């Protein structure tokens, strides 16, 4: 049986000259990615600000006399839910884009397991937004479905909204199971091996 | 050229050989070694701002390289493979006895390679650092365990390897 000998010419690494060119190309690519990420974050921040201003103007501050108090309250609920979502989204993006590889392996794996976990505590962070949207949706439609009794109006709205949220939650779970669960399990398995 | 770029280029040029060596240990094919090298460079760039000189630059580089290899292995978990050959520094420390006969030595290294690759991912990562002649303290800092824990782990892995190698010797 013959042992594989290391042959520098046959490995995956380029010559000194190619290395220099490759490094230059890589630095340019990394710079572009840094700029693109900063630009995306900036654009996203402005999108939130513009949306919040536009929605607040149209649905809360709009002087139109046809806009009733319940419409304004409903608008306030939507805008508040939007602000909470924006803050949570920003946190998530920061969590996923700033992965630090220079910490110890134990810490990196613990952070990865935390990042990719599926926990009910995450649901509690989103709950205020879900309830605010529900409130906004219910308040605005409650005054339109006047042919029904108040109790029926509330029940019909909830019969529509709650399954919608449950289906969305289930789709979110399926996405997690396919994309993040293997990473989570892998990180946990390596952590276990490390602590043995 | 700005400060970040300058720092990046300096780190890469000073640690190029070390990085390539780590990639040779952990990536199964030439193509994977190249991909892993690129991946490590990207992660060094991303982590540059976090380097505050608390750890030595060597430990910092190794942390990124080992963490990239663990992450790299995460994507294609089973593919992580420790590659050693007769020229790997310190490989003789893991052989049960120093063979003068070149063919027997090659056979031992081949057996060692098989047993090393039957170890768990973390144990393989630790052995990669042992083969690169890092001290127990440095290995502990990179992996994130105590020095005594690292010492116990390394001892246990070496013992396991020796037992398995001895088993091979008796079989032959």
């Amino acid at each position: 049986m013959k042992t594989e000998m290391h042959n520098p010419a046959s490995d995956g690494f380029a010559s000194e000259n190619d290395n220099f060119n490759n490094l230059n190309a890589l630095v340019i690519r990394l710079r572009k990615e840094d700029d693109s990420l900063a630009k995306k974050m900036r654009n996203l921040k402005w999108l939130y600000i513009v949306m919040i201003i536009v929605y607040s103007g149209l649905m809360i501050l709009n002087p139109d006399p046809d806009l009733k108090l319940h419409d304004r309250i409903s608008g306030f609920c939507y805008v508040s839910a939007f602000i909470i979502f924006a803050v949570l989204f920003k946190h998530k993006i920061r969590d996923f884009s700033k992965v630090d590889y220079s910490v110890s392996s134990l810490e990196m794996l613990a952070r990865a397991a935390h990042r990719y976990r599926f926990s009910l505590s995450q649901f509690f962070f989103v709950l205020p937004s879900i309830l605010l949207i529900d409130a906004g949706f219910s308040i605005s439609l409650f005054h339109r479905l006047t042919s029904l009794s108040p109790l029926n109006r509330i029940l019909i709205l909830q019969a529509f909204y709650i399954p919608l949220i449950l289906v969305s939650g289930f789709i979110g779970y399926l996405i997690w199971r396919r994309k993040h669960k293997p990473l989570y399990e892998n990180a946990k398995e390596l952590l276990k091996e490390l602590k043995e | 050229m700005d400060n970040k770029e300058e720092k990046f280029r300096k780190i890469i040029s000073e640690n190029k050989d070390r990085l390539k060596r780590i990639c040779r240990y952990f990536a199964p094919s030439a193509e994977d070694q190249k991909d892993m090298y690129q991946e490590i460079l990207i992660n060094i760039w991303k982590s540059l701002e976090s380097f505050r000189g608390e750890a030595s630059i060597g430990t910092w580089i190794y942390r990124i390289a080992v963490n990239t290899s663990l992450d790299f292995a995460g994507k294609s978990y089973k593919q992580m493979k420790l590659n050693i050959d007769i020229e790997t520094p310190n490989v003789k420390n893991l052989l049960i006895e120093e063979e003068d006969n070149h063919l027997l030595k090659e056979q031992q290294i081949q057996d060692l390679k098989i047993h090393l690759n039957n170890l768990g991912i973390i144990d393989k990562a630790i052995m990669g650092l042992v083969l690169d002649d890092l001290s127990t303290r440095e290995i502990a800092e990179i992996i994130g365990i105590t020095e005594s824990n690292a010492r116990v782990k390394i001892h246990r892995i070496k013992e396991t390897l020796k037992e398995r190698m001895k088993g091979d010797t008796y079989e032959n």
Side-chain angles (χ1 to χ4, degrees):
Chain A
M1 203 186 296
K2 196 178 180 312
T3 307
E4 286 168 43
M5 292 282 286
H6 167 60
N7 174 6
S10 70
D11 66 20
F13 303 113
S15 67
E16 278 302 306
N17 206 18
D18 284 345
N19 265 335
F20 182 75
N21 293 332
N22 289 346
L23 190 63
N24 276 342
L26 181 71
V27 168
I28 293 168
R29 190 159 69 87
L30 290 168
R31 272 254 159 267
K32 270 187 188 165
E33 271 178 29
D34 274 4
D35 292 345
S36 147
L37 186 70
K39 202 174 159 189
K40 270 182 202 155
M41 293 297 278
R42 213 169 38 238
N43 289 346
L44 206 62
K45 193 175 91 185
W46 277 107
L47 181 73
Y48 289 146
I49 292 172
V50 169
M51 293 281 272
I52 288 165
I53 292 170
V54 168
Y55 269 77
S56 302
L58 280 175
M59 301 179 84
I60 307 170
L61 307 167
N62 191 347
D64 184 352
D66 287 343
L67 210 63
K68 304 281 184 302
L69 180 66
H70 60 81
D71 292 321
R72 292 180 198 279
I73 294 171
S74 152
F76 177 77
C77 290
Y78 288 138
V79 171
S80 306
F82 190 71
I83 292 170
I84 295 172
F85 264 135
V87 173
L88 289 176
F89 190 56
K90 196 181 164 192
H91 263 276
K92 277 282 160 199
I93 286 183
R94 197 185 297 161
D95 250 18
F96 278 84
S97 61
K98 292 252 173 189
V99 179
D100 188 0
Y101 282 82
S102 67
V103 296
S104 69
S105 303
L106 184 78
E107 198 176 337
M108 189 201 71
L109 292 169
R111 285 185 192 179
H114 184 264
R115 196 166 51 244
Y116 294 119
R117 80 199 188 286
F118 188 86
S119 77
L120 280 178
S121 64
Q122 286 176 312
F123 171 75
F124 289 116
F125 284 110
V126 192
L127 192 63
S129 288
I130 293 174
L131 293 177
L132 280 166
I133 292 172
D134 190 14
F137 179 62
S138 302
I139 292 167
S140 79
L141 286 182
F142 186 83
H143 294 272
R144 289 184 196 154
L145 304 170
T146 45
S147 58
L148 298 167
S149 72
L151 181 66
N152 278 347
R153 275 183 252 175
I154 292 171
L155 288 177
I156 286 174
L157 291 171
Q158 296 314 306
F160 175 74
Y161 186 73
I162 292 171
L164 187 77
I165 292 298
L166 290 176
V167 169
S168 310
F170 186 65
I171 291 170
Y173 169 74
L174 291 180
I175 292 171
W176 172 82
R177 208 173 66 166
R178 199 172 64 87
K179 281 177 74 180
H180 290 167
K181 195 179 171 216
L183 298 171
Y184 170 76
E185 284 177 346
N186 186 27
K188 289 295 266 187
E189 198 179 324
L190 291 177
L191 270 174
K192 198 178 146 206
E193 196 186 319
L194 200 51
K195 285 173 181 170
E196 265 170 10
Chain B
M1 208 187 324
D2 65 15
N3 200 19
K4 185 178 180 183
E5 197 176 318
E6 205 173 322
K7 203 169 156 187
F8 177 71
R9 284 179 187 278
K10 192 168 178 277
I11 288 172
I12 302 306
S13 70
E14 285 171 0
N15 295 278
K16 199 168 53 195
D17 295 337
R18 186 183 280 171
L19 290 171
K20 287 180 182 175
R21 216 164 44 230
I22 294 173
C23 294
R24 281 193 195 105
Y25 286 148
F26 292 123
S29 68
E31 198 53 39
D32 287 332
Q33 286 169 15
K34 210 165 90 181
D35 289 347
M36 191 179 163
Y37 185 71
Q38 286 273 315
E39 195 92 13
I40 293 175
L41 295 196
I42 291 169
N43 289 333
I44 288 176
W45 176 272
K46 283 181 184 169
S47 308
L48 265 182
E49 278 153 31
S50 71
F51 181 65
R52 290 180 189 91
E54 287 148 4
S56 76
I57 188 80
T59 308
W60 187 80
I61 289 274
Y62 272 111
R63 273 183 177 174
I64 295 176
V66 170
N67 287 341
T68 307
S69 81
L70 291 176
D71 198 40
F72 194 79
K75 286 170 195 160
S76 47
Y77 202 5
K78 303 289 172 200
Q79 279 184 25
M80 192 203 197
K81 208 174 165 192
L82 207 51
N83 294 309
I84 54 161
D85 57 39
I86 210 156
E87 290 182 354
T88 304
N90 303 308
V91 74
K92 63 177 186 301
N93 297 343
L94 297 178
L95 299 175
I96 46 171
E97 52 201 66
E98 187 71 7
E99 285 288 351
D100 290 332
N101 184 320
H102 189 75
L103 271 176
L104 277 175
K105 195 172 181 179
E106 277 196 358
Q107 180 63 54
Q108 266 205 31
I109 287 172
Q110 196 62 26
D111 293 342
L112 179 64
K113 191 173 166 181
I114 293 167
H115 294 307
L116 275 171
N117 284 304
N118 285 332
L119 294 171
I121 299 274
I122 295 290
D123 289 353
K124 265 189 255 184
I126 290 174
M127 288 323 280
L129 298 173
V130 169
L131 287 169
D132 223 16
D133 207 20
L134 265 73
S135 69
T136 314
R137 192 179 57 79
E138 286 171 310
I139 295 173
E141 269 179 37
I142 292 161
I143 303 291
I145 51 180
T146 61
E147 203 177 330
S148 56
N149 198 349
R151 196 172 298 118
V152 170
K153 265 184 181 292
I154 294 166
H155 178 73
R156 203 193 58 205
I157 301 167
K158 281 184 175 176
E159 284 301 306
T160 308
L161 287 172
K162 271 183 189 162
E163 283 298 313
R164 291 179 185 172
M165 295 278 288
K166 268 184 195 164
D168 286 345
T169 313
Y170 293 134
E171 273 170 33
N172 294 333

